[in-house]
Amino acid sequence: MRVAEAMTRDVQIANPDQSIVDAARMMADCDCGILPVGENDRLVGMITDRDIVVRALAQGKTDTATIRDVMTQDVKYCFEDDDVEEVTRNMGDLQIRRLPVLNQDKRLVGIVSLGDVSDASEPNSAAEALSSISQPASQTAGGGQRPH
């Protein structure tokens, strides 16, 4: 099965110059905990609810902080025509639960999560990835590498 068959296509995209409050509102509106960050039609980062809490609020940054201030710039991603089992294995190695999905022109076309994979009749792949994600990073192979 290809990633395109399992991914979520309707994805909100944040701008790096928006405030973290804007990002939190967007997450609340779409009931999600992660947003891709785009600028000039390119994926430049990812922001999570945890980024807002740990990198902003816990450090005393106020609502003047921008998404750019707290987002993760080292974006891991996969392609829509990648094999789901390979991608979920890489997600386990990288210890991440969600990946942005790009087309061959490197444009964002969706996000794939372990839940998407499990819902798409690939529960064993999702379970194996979740098992790897749950291990301490020092016990996993290949941590920190992009899936491609």
Side-chain angles (χ1 to χ4, degrees), residues 26-143:
M26 289 173 72
M27 288 178 194
D29 289 345
C30 68
D31 191 27
C32 64
I34 190 168
L35 294 171
V37 182
E39 186 173 46
N40 299 322
D41 198 31
R42 290 290 183 190
L43 182 65
V44 296
M46 297 292 285
I47 185 166
T48 66
D49 47 7
R50 189 171 192 281
D51 292 333
I52 293 170
V53 172
V54 173
R55 294 182 182 168
L57 299 178
Q59 295 182 14
K61 295 181 182 176
T62 65
D63 61 351
T64 59
T66 65
I67 291 172
R68 188 183 312 275
D69 296 333
V70 300
M71 72 182 190
T72 298
Q73 294 181 11
D74 181 25
V75 180
K76 310 300 185 217
Y77 58 89
C78 64
F79 291 101
E80 64 184 339
D81 59 354
D82 286 343
D83 180 73
V84 166
E85 285 192 39
E86 180 182 327
V87 169
T88 54
R89 195 171 23 258
N90 287 330
M91 290 169 77
D93 290 347
L94 295 167
Q95 293 193 306
I96 54 178
R97 297 172 191 266
R98 302 172 206 96
L99 275 177
V101 181
L102 307 181
N103 64 17
Q104 291 304 317
D105 294 325
K106 292 202 174 178
R107 300 290 193 264
L108 182 73
V109 294
I111 289 182
V112 66
S113 70
L114 293 180
D116 293 335
V117 172
S118 181
D119 290 345
S121 301
E122 294 286 341
N124 290 337
S125 295
E128 288 174 21
L130 185 56
S131 176
S132 294
I133 289 168
S134 300
Q135 293 179 16
S138 62
Q139 294 180 8
T140 61

